[in-house]
């Protein structure tokens, strides 16, 4: 590699290192809208993510309407409140406290909601629950790769974000509030916004 090439690689590594070391999950946001060009930039980066089984079976639902965001949070809270009495008594208090992290996106100005569709193929040819689970997992894992790019991209643009899968416990309730593509499942909720300074 030429000196010029080496120095370019080193620069890229240093920039990426700084980005990675300084990223943290952000759950408290300023009441400021995320500009559309930043949303577009993040989505452009997300589209570069690797994907399983030769199929880009994912989509990203963009929600920037605060009433809808609140309605999603309320539906999750209603779900966990109804679930709490069914939880073993000695774990109940802990669950109620923990479940607050499922709605830690509620004050965000923007949610990116990655969804995925499972295309069963091998498991249609052999009856095996483990293979079926493996096939589904592959599509879920694809979402993890694109989500990490979203976090790094948002952070590079001076935005904060957090990967949240707790909310997915109330998947069916959320689906009643937002329209997602047919046969898609929700993989996570990713709140994004400018970090609230303490
Ligand atoms: C699969 C996964 C699910 C997560 N779900 C939630 C969640 O539901 N609520 C939440 O507040 N944080 C959630 N997080 C964020 C983690 O709490 C956070 O990444 C972890 O504490 C490390 O902190 P850092 O991201 O600041 O390095 C999740 C992270 C991962 C990887």
């Amino acid at each position: 590699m030429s000196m010029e090439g080496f120095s370019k690689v080193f620069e890229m590594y240093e920039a990426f290192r700084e980005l990675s070391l300084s990223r943290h999950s952000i759950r408290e946001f300023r009441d400021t809208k995320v500009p559309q060009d930043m949303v577009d930039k993040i989505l452009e980066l997300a589209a570069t993510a690797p994907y399983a089984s030769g199929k880009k079976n994912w989509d990203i639902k963009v929600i920037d309407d605060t009433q809808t965001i609140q309605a999603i949070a309320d539906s999750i809270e209603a779900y966990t409140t109804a679930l709490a009495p069914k939880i073993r008594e000695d774990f109940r208090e802990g669950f109620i406290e923990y479940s607050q992290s499922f709605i830690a996106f509620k004050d965000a100005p923007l949610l990116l909601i990655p969804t995925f569709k499972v295309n069963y193929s091998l498991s249609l040819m052999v009856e095996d629950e483990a293979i079926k689970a493996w096939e589904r997992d592959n599509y879920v894992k694809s979402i993890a790769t694109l989500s990490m790019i979203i976090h790094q991209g948002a952070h590079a643009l001076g935005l904060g974000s957090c990967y949240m899968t707790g909310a997915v416990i109330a998947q069916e309730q959320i689906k009643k509030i937002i329209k997602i593509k047919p046969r898609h499942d929700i993989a996570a909720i990713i709140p994004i916004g400018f970090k609230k300074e303490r």
Side-chain angles (χ1 to χ4, degrees):
M1 195 187 286
S2 68
M3 272 310 280
E4 202 185 317
F6 181 75
S7 116
K8 179 113 184 79
V9 164
F10 188 71
E11 237 173 68
M12 282 173 71
Y13 164 75
E14 279 299 323
F16 189 66
R17 179 174 183 273
E18 193 184 329
L19 192 72
S20 300
L21 293 183
S22 58
R23 186 211 59 85
H24 297 290
S25 290
I26 301 299
R27 299 175 180 82
E28 289 178 32
F29 302 95
R30 294 209 315 255
D31 193 13
T32 311
K33 219 172 146 49
V34 178
Q36 187 57 46
D37 71 310
M38 287 194 174
V39 179
D40 293 342
K41 283 183 165 69
I42 293 169
L43 296 177
E44 182 196 20
L45 294 179
T48 67
Y51 48 91
S53 309
K55 289 189 178 66
K56 250 184 179 172
N57 273 10
W58 55 261
D59 189 41
I60 298 174
K61 184 87 187 169
V62 180
I63 310 274
D64 62 0
D65 165 54
T66 48
Q67 278 185 358
T68 307
I69 294 173
Q70 191 57 52
I72 295 171
D74 289 347
S75 76
I76 297 163
E77 199 157 30
Y79 180 88
T80 54
T81 302
L83 184 64
K86 298 179 199 156
I87 306 254
R88 230 174 71 179
E89 207 180 338
D90 48 338
F91 285 110
R92 197 171 298 148
E93 269 307 306
F95 170 74
I96 292 168
E97 202 180 307
Y98 174 58
S99 67
Q100 283 306 301
S101 71
F102 300 178
I103 55 165
F105 60 82
K106 67 181 190 312
D107 297 322
L110 171 73
L111 302 183
L112 296 188
I113 304 188
T115 69
F116 64 97
K117 183 175 76 174
V118 183
N119 267 99
Y120 291 110
S121 53
L122 188 60
S123 56
L124 298 177
M125 300 165 212
V126 50
E127 240 179 72
D128 185 323
E129 283 306 311
I131 289 179
K132 202 170 176 191
W134 168 78
E135 284 204 296
R136 186 176 194 280
D137 283 355
N138 282 337
Y139 292 102
V140 179
K141 286 165 186 166
S142 297
I143 298 290
T145 68
L146 79 88
S147 295
M148 199 56 223
I149 294 177
I150 289 175
H151 298 303
Q152 298 285 41
H155 181 45
L157 290 167
L159 295 160
S161 66
C162 184
Y163 191 56
M164 297 186 181
T165 59
V168 182
I169 196 170
Q171 158 112 241
E172 295 312 316
Q173 285 69 19
I174 302 170
K175 280 180 179 174
K176 284 179 192 149
I177 299 166
I178 56 166
K179 206 171 156 45
I180 62 171
K181 286 192 172 172
R183 295 183 47 226
H184 273 235
D185 280 335
I186 295 168
I189 287 187
I190 303 177
I192 297 185
F194 294 97
K195 182 183 171 184
K196 192 181 219 172
E197 301 300 339
R198 284 167 180 269

